[in-house]
Amino acid sequence: MEIFQLVGIAFITAITALILKSTKPELAFAVTVTGSIILLLFTFELFQNAFSIFNTIADTTGIDVALVKILLKMVGIGYLVEFSAGILNDFGQNSVADKLVFCGKIIVLILALPIIESVLNLISRLLGLIA
């Protein structure tokens, strides 16, 4: 099970960073960032294997694949920003973390514009059928 590998990497990273924090704090930071990146890359690899399921869902339901990709990008950006902001908060960079979260929200809003446009077009077509 992949979750055990993820938990193992997380604990090894945390314990190593704690041990190094008292003697070499700059190295503890590097270990934490490296461990976090390894966790993130491992998770992306798992997600990549499941991506074909989303294409199957889009084909089955008739939803435009581009909209599904946009939704997945939005979710991915949300998770990545939250993950990165958590690391920044751990290192006392709360202000930078808050700015990152704000920027992530703006990017998600920008990505949502084609979906909003599609919904509005659908509503206008439905209203045209009713009138």
Side-chain angles (χ1 to χ4, degrees), residues 17-80:
L18 282 174
I19 291 170
L20 291 173
K21 194 171 192 172
S22 61
T23 58
K24 301 219 183 239
E26 64 279 353
L27 198 55
F29 176 77
V31 166
T32 303
V33 170
T34 303
S36 299
I37 291 171
I38 290 170
L39 286 171
L40 199 58
L41 291 175
F42 190 83
T43 305
F44 282 151
E45 182 181 329
L46 293 174
F47 181 73
Q48 193 174 27
N49 294 334
F51 189 70
S52 64
I53 294 171
F54 291 106
N55 286 332
T56 304
I57 291 170
D59 292 340
T60 304
T61 59
I63 297 173
D64 187 16
V65 176
L67 294 178
V68 173
K69 287 182 180 180
I70 291 171
L71 287 172
L72 291 175
K73 283 181 187 178
M74 291 167 59
V75 171
I77 288 170
Y79 285 142
L80 182 61

Side-chain angles (χ1 to χ4, degrees), residues 126-131:
L126 288 174
L127 290 175
L129 291 175
I130 294 172

